[in-house]
Amino acid sequence: MNFGDLLMAKGQYQEKPDLPFTLGMEVAGTIREVGEGVEGFEPGMRVLVGGGSGGLADFGTFPATKAIRIPDSMSFTDAAAFQVAYGTSHVGLDYRARLQPGENLLVLGAAGGVGMTAIEIGKLMGAKVIACARGKEKLEVCKSAGADVLIDSETDDLREAVKAAGGADVIYDPVGGDQFRAAMRATNPEARILVVGFASGDIPQIPANHLLVKNLNIMGYYWGGYNRFKPEVLTNSMATLIRWYDEGKLKPHVGATLPLEQAGDAYELMRSRKSTGKVVVTTGRG
């Protein structure tokens, strides 16, 4: 499951499938049949699919162009939790923000699905990772993912804590709101801020004079948008990520696994922000 599924259910996501549709942006399983003319896939192959919708079902029909074969080392649970979260973080940090070794990366919402992957990928790219999350339990999860500095969004002064850690060169922000505003004031000159989403529900207004004084770059970033105008960015990124997984460099954090009959509970875990990492719904079919 993804936070985007919550927005899609309310008609607030960037993509709006025609009604009626089945929720579930990404899925993993075994191919049962292939359509006429499909090459490179056959029944029995294990794949992950970023179909955009249709994942919350025992069976689904998806374009072959959205399917990616997964290695034997990857479980279906990991595969279902893999593409959107890791893809979002890798393309954002590598292709968009050009994160460099030795830079300070601030991850907001760090205990969430994309936040955890941003910590992992940031460390793999050689950054010092500052993780901001709510509460001691979530911060411990961030620490286990490799975060160097931990900030409690409930009790710590975000701006001062980031400045004390050396300031931020890159900010990865799926939260928005007050955290965005505080983080922006703790940036180093020429910092890059990735606007990934607005989980807080608050879309911040950006004071242009602050950008001028510090030579800041604020980057709008929608991972799925590359499917339309530069799909090779996503293809190249996913090849790198699957290779890293197969080499043991990535370990998806699945905070909860629920059967399809409890899909509503999976949504509630995300809506209430009680989950860490990814929430995966299983059908038992594979």
Side-chain angles (χ1 to χ4, degrees):
M1 309 304 297
N2 293 278
F3 189 77
D5 291 310
L6 295 179
L7 298 177
M8 193 177 290
K10 297 186 289 186
Q12 297 175 351
Y13 194 60
Q14 295 95 324
E15 307 288 344
K16 295 180 174 60
D18 294 333
L19 296 173
F21 69 93
T22 300
L23 289 165
M25 297 173 67
E26 58 184 330
V27 63
T30 302
I31 294 175
R32 296 299 179 94
E33 296 182 31
V34 297
E36 183 178 351
V38 171
E39 297 181 354
F41 296 100
E42 60 185 31
M45 281 187 176
R46 303 168 70 251
V47 295
L48 60 80
V49 182
S53 60
L56 282 179
D58 289 316
F59 296 93
T61 302
F62 304 97
T65 54
K66 299 293 183 67
I68 298 172
R69 190 171 183 178
I70 60 176
D72 293 339
S73 62
M74 182 177 282
S75 68
F76 285 132
T77 298
D78 281 358
F82 196 81
Q83 187 175 23
V84 172
Y86 279 108
T88 297
S89 293
H90 183 248
V91 173
L93 295 176
D94 183 57
Y95 182 79
R96 287 290 280 152
R98 307 293 184 186
L99 179 67
Q100 299 298 308
E103 288 191 313
N104 289 349
L105 167 64
L106 170 61
V107 181
L108 303 180
V114 293
M116 292 286 289
T117 61
I119 294 173
E120 280 188 275
I121 291 171
K123 291 299 294 181
L124 276 174
M125 294 179 67
K128 173 182 174 181
V129 178
I130 306 166
C132 179
R134 181 181 301 175
K136 182 178 180 181
E137 182 178 346
K138 289 188 175 182
L139 287 175
E140 283 299 317
V141 173
C142 295
K143 183 178 180 180
S144 70
D148 300 289
V149 179
L150 305 175
I151 298 175
D152 191 331
S153 61
E154 285 186 320
T155 59
D156 293 331
D157 184 315
L158 176 58
R159 178 188 178 189
E160 293 304 317
V162 174
K163 289 174 67 176
D169 299 304
V170 173
I171 296 174
Y172 184 92
D173 179 22
V175 177
D178 289 339
Q179 289 191 31
F180 173 93
R181 288 182 277 269
M184 188 175 69
R185 297 176 68 85
T187 50
N188 294 325
E190 296 190 328
R192 290 87 74 201
I193 303 175
L194 277 171
V195 179
V196 182
F198 311 102
S200 67
D202 179 353
I203 300 175
Q205 300 303 302
I206 299 167
N209 59 314
H210 290 192
L211 309 186
L212 182 152
V213 172
K214 284 190 175 181
N215 291 294
L216 300 181
N217 295 281
I218 295 185
M219 303 175 177
Y221 172 49
Y222 170 39
W223 177 78
Y226 283 97
N227 269 316
R228 291 193 295 272
F229 64 89
K230 200 176 277 189
E232 65 273 14
V233 171
L234 304 188
T235 301
N236 294 338
S237 169
M238 195 52 51
T240 296
L241 290 168
I242 288 179
R243 175 171 55 81
W244 282 350
Y245 179 95
D246 212 22
E247 293 171 352
K249 295 177 179 178
L250 297 176
K251 297 179 181 179
H253 178 88
V254 177
T257 304
L258 294 89
L260 183 60
E261 298 76 31
Q262 296 180 30
D265 296 331
Y267 275 102
E268 180 59 24
L269 281 173
M270 292 189 297
R271 190 198 65 79
S272 63
R273 294 178 173 80
K274 292 180 180 179
S275 61
T276 58
K278 295 284 285 186
V279 178
V280 174
V281 173
T282 63
T283 67
R285 290 184 180 270

